[in-house]
Amino acid sequence: MTKISVAELSKDLRDAIAGLESTEGLEKVGIVVRVGDGVAWVQGLRDAGYNEVLQIETPSGIVEAFALNLMEDEIGAVLLGSDSLVSAGNTVRLKGVVLSVPVGPELLGRVVDPLGRPLDGGAPIKTKQTGLVEREAIGVMGRKSVHEPLMTGIIAIDAMFPIGRGQRELIIGDRQTGKTALTIDTMINQAKQKTGVVNVYVAIGQRSSKISRLIDRLKKEGVMEQTIVVATSPSDPASLLYLAPYAATAMGEYFRDNGGHALMIYDDLTKHAVAYRQMSLLLRRPPGREAFPGDVFYLHSRLLERSAKLSDALGGGSLTALPIIETQAGDISAYIPTNVISITDGQIFLETDLFYQGIRPAISAGLSVSRVGGDAQTKAVKSVSGNLKLGLSQFRELASFAQFGSDLDDATKSQISRGQRLTELLKQPQYQPYSIWQQVASVYAATNGLFDDIKPENIKDVQAKLLSRLKTDHKSEMNELDKGAKPTDDQIAAIVKVAKAVVKGSKEA
C-alpha cells in the first residue's frame, strides 16, 4: 500500500495537523485525511490501540469508529455509522475504551443490534455491565472436558452425533436445506425441557423478514423469554456484520462466567467472512485465496475458541456454539467450510438430495460426526443407539445396489429393510423436539426389530401410537427414564410390551 505523507496532503490538512501537534499532541488527537466506503483514514493518534473506540467530531455531532489498521503514519478506522457525515479535516479523539457491548440478564427477550441498541421498539436497555467485543479465550487450565449433554430434541442428532455443553458443532449444507430449522428446534427444546440454557441467536446479514418470522415462532413457543437475538440485515454496513458474532459472544459469556449455560447460534459465518473480506479490501489489506485476507482463519478461530466448558474453579458454566456455514452445491472442501470444519468439534452435514427425497432433517450419516461423541451423550440414549449410525450408513450404501434389482442374500435384504424403517423413524417434523424418554422408546423399538413387521410408510403412525400409549399407561416409568439414567429392566419391559401391542393392533387394522 502507498503511504501518504504529510507533505502530500492539502495545505489546509497540513496546517490542521501542525496546529494539533503544537497544541494537543498527535498521541491523543488526530485528523481525518480521507474517508469512503465506511472507512476513515486518520493521521495522528499514535497512542491508539487495536479495537479502541475513536470519536470523530463532525458538524452534525460525534460519529464513532474503531481502529482496525494500525500503521506507522496513519490508522484505518471502521465507522460504526454512516460515512456521509464524516469528511476530511474532522478532528478525531480517543474515547479511552476498547469496543464493548452491554451484557446481562436485561437483554433476555430482546432484539438488539451488535452494539446492544434495541431493534424491537422496546424501552432502552440499561445494563449494569459491559463485555469486551474482542476477548482472549479461556486457557486450557480454565477448562473442563465436555461431559454434560445439550439435548437438541432431534433424534438423529442426540442419538448419533450428540452435542455437549461447551462443544462447537458446525451445521453445514446448501441453502434452504434446514440448517436454521435445526437450531430453532434446539432452542425450543431448551425451553420445553426447562434446561435453563440461555439462547443467543446471531443473524449475520439475514433478511429482515426471516428474522421476523423466527422471532414470532420463538414467542409462540415460549422461548423468547430466555433468548437474545442479535440481528443484522444485508443493508447494514459491513462493520456491523463483522462485529455481530463477537458482540453476541460477549453477551453469552456473561452467563457462562456467572455459572450459567448459554447456547450460541451463528447464522451464518459464510456471510461473516464475506463482510470481513469487504472490510479488509477497503482497508487495503493484501487479498489472498478467493480474495479473502490471510487472517480469515484467525477471524473464526478466535471467535469459536471462546466457547468452552469452564472448570469447577471458574464456576462450571458453559458456552456452546452452533455455527452455520452455507455451501455451494454441497462442496464442503471449499475454503471457508474447511477452515471452520478444522476449528470445530464436529459437523452435521445436511444433504440436498436427502432433503428433496423428503428425509428431513436431511442429516448425512456418513459425513456428519461429533468429535466429543458418547462423552456428552445421555446414558439413556447412549444405551439404545449404539448401532444406529453404523446401520444407517450401511443401509445408504446398500440401497444404491438394491435399486439395480440384483439378487441379494437374505442378510442384505434384512439390513435394507431395517434401514428403511430407521430412515422413516428419524424423520421429524419441525418445532416438535422429542424428550429423552420419547427418543429412547423410539430408537429401542426400531433397532431391536419391534417395528420390522410394519411397512416403512406406517412407521411414523406406529411410533406416535407407541409414545401416546407409554405416556398414558406408564407415565411414572417414562418420567423416571426422562431423567437420563440408563433404562431399567422394568422400563425396557414396558416399552417392549406396548410396542408389541401397538404393532399387533396396526397389523390387524
Side-chain angles (χ1 to χ4, degrees):
M1 172 183 171
T2 305
K3 292 182 180 178
I4 296 181
S5 64
V6 175
E8 293 175 285
L9 300 173
S10 68
K11 185 178 184 302
D12 290 342
L13 284 177
R14 289 203 306 271
D15 292 344
I17 291 170
L20 288 172
E21 198 162 14
S22 61
T23 56
E24 299 183 70
L26 286 177
E27 285 77 18
K28 300 292 183 186
V29 70
I31 195 162
V32 177
V33 294
R34 63 189 189 280
V35 65
D37 297 312
V39 174
W41 296 93
V42 180
Q43 194 106 37
L45 291 181
R46 290 171 186 153
D47 284 352
Y50 178 76
N51 257 5
E52 188 166 357
V53 180
L54 313 180
Q55 294 183 316
I56 303 173
E57 299 170 0
T58 74
S60 304
I62 299 290
V63 174
E64 291 194 337
F66 62 96
L68 204 60
N69 261 27
L70 301 174
M71 295 180 289
E72 188 178 351
D73 294 334
E74 62 184 359
I75 291 171
V78 179
L79 299 174
L80 293 172
S82 171
D83 60 8
S84 60
L85 301 175
V86 182
S87 58
N90 291 154
T91 303
V92 187
R93 299 180 192 278
L94 295 176
K95 190 174 181 180
V97 296
V98 178
L99 198 60
S100 58
V101 291
V103 300
E106 297 87 353
L107 289 163
L108 290 172
R110 301 300 300 269
V111 184
V112 297
D113 75 356
L115 298 176
R117 300 174 298 206
L119 296 175
D120 51 12
I125 300 170
K126 295 180 181 177
T127 63
K128 296 174 185 174
Q129 286 183 251
T130 58
L132 293 178
V133 168
E134 289 269 11
R135 178 180 163 191
E136 193 173 335
I138 297 289
V140 174
M141 298 306 292
R143 296 176 184 239
K144 193 175 183 180
S145 63
V146 175
H147 65 281
E148 296 173 310
L150 186 129
M151 300 295 289
T152 65
I154 300 163
I155 298 181
I157 296 176
D158 292 338
M160 296 192 290
F161 317 106
I163 298 170
R165 292 181 182 180
Q167 189 175 344
R168 302 153 304 170
E169 183 80 358
L170 173 64
I171 298 174
I172 185 168
D174 287 1
R175 66 187 302 271
Q176 298 294 318
T177 51
K179 300 186 297 298
T180 305
L182 290 184
T183 63
I184 295 173
D185 283 357
T186 304
M187 287 193 279
I188 291 171
N189 196 53
Q190 305 316 306
K192 186 177 175 184
Q193 303 300 325
K194 297 182 174 61
T195 60
V197 175
V198 170
N199 306 306
V200 185
Y201 176 85
V202 198
I204 306 168
Q206 300 290 343
R207 295 189 312 276
S208 298
S209 58
K210 178 183 176 180
I211 300 170
S212 180
R213 286 196 305 273
L214 179 136
I215 292 166
D216 288 344
R217 172 53 72 170
L218 293 180
K219 287 179 178 176
K220 183 178 177 182
E221 301 288 345
V223 188
M224 198 61 199
E225 292 77 14
Q226 63 184 67
T227 302
I228 302 169
V229 176
V230 180
T232 57
S233 70
S235 59
D236 286 329
S239 57
L240 286 185
L241 270 65
Y242 162 72
L243 288 176
Y246 294 104
T249 303
M251 296 172 189
E253 282 175 332
Y254 168 85
F255 298 98
R256 180 199 70 185
D257 295 343
N258 285 279
H261 304 279
L263 170 65
M264 297 294 315
I265 294 161
Y266 303 105
D267 192 6
D268 63 76
L269 292 186
T270 310
K271 291 184 177 68
H272 184 234
V274 169
Y276 184 61
R277 174 172 63 185
Q278 180 182 330
M279 283 173 46
S280 296
L281 292 173
L282 291 170
L283 287 165
R284 311 271 182 91
R285 292 180 176 180
R289 179 176 164 187
E290 294 180 29
F292 285 104
D295 64 343
V296 74
F297 180 91
Y298 182 53
L299 171 78
H300 289 148
S301 64
R302 72 177 189 265
L303 170 70
L304 294 169
E305 282 297 326
R306 290 164 72 176
S307 296
K309 167 66 180 169
L310 297 191
S311 65
D312 293 337
L314 294 178
S318 70
L319 187 66
T320 309
L322 294 181
I324 294 174
I325 286 286
E326 185 179 292
T327 54
Q328 304 287 333
D331 183 14
I332 60 171
S333 62
Y335 188 26
I336 301 301
T338 49
N339 276 355
V340 183
I341 284 171
S342 61
I343 295 165
T344 50
D345 307 312
Q347 71 273 350
I348 294 166
F349 180 59
L350 300 178
E351 283 191 71
T352 309
D353 290 347
L354 293 178
F355 184 83
Y356 288 117
Q357 287 170 27
I359 301 170
R360 302 175 187 178
I363 297 172
S364 166
L367 291 174
S368 302
V369 66
S370 172
R371 297 190 186 100
V372 173
D375 290 348
Q377 198 167 21
T378 314
K379 286 179 180 161
V381 178
K382 186 177 183 178
S383 67
V384 298
S385 61
N387 299 323
L388 186 61
K389 183 182 176 184
L390 181 63
L392 210 57
S393 300
Q394 289 175 338
F395 158 68
R396 298 241 168 106
E397 290 292 326
L398 292 170
S400 57
F401 292 108
Q403 66 185 351
F404 296 115
S406 55
D407 290 333
L408 302 172
D409 59 83
D410 291 340
T412 305
K413 286 178 181 176
S414 174
Q415 209 164 8
I416 290 173
S417 176
R418 178 73 58 84
Q420 289 171 335
R421 284 153 181 79
L422 288 176
T423 300
E424 288 299 319
L425 182 86
L426 295 179
K427 290 181 181 178
Q428 193 168 335
Q430 198 177 351
Y431 314 128
Q432 293 181 28
Y434 288 130
S435 60
I436 294 172
W437 76 264
Q438 290 174 321
Q439 294 189 31
V440 172
S442 301
V443 173
Y444 184 87
T447 54
N448 285 275
L450 299 176
F451 288 167
D452 283 1
D453 293 337
I454 300 294
K455 292 180 180 177
E457 58 268 24
N458 296 331
I459 287 289
K460 294 306 287 183
D461 291 337
V462 174
Q463 181 195 15
K465 289 175 184 174
L466 168 66
L467 299 180
S468 177
R469 287 274 297 274
L470 282 170
K471 186 176 181 180
T472 306
D473 301 344
H474 300 275
K475 190 171 183 179
S476 61
E477 290 101 317
M478 294 305 108
N479 286 343
E480 192 63 31
L481 180 57
D482 213 34
K483 295 177 182 177
K486 188 175 179 180
T488 63
D489 292 341
D490 289 344
Q491 290 162 352
I492 292 294
I495 293 170
V496 172
K497 177 185 171 185
V498 174
K500 285 180 176 177
V502 168
V503 168
K504 184 180 179 183
S506 298
K507 286 165 68 177
E508 290 171 355

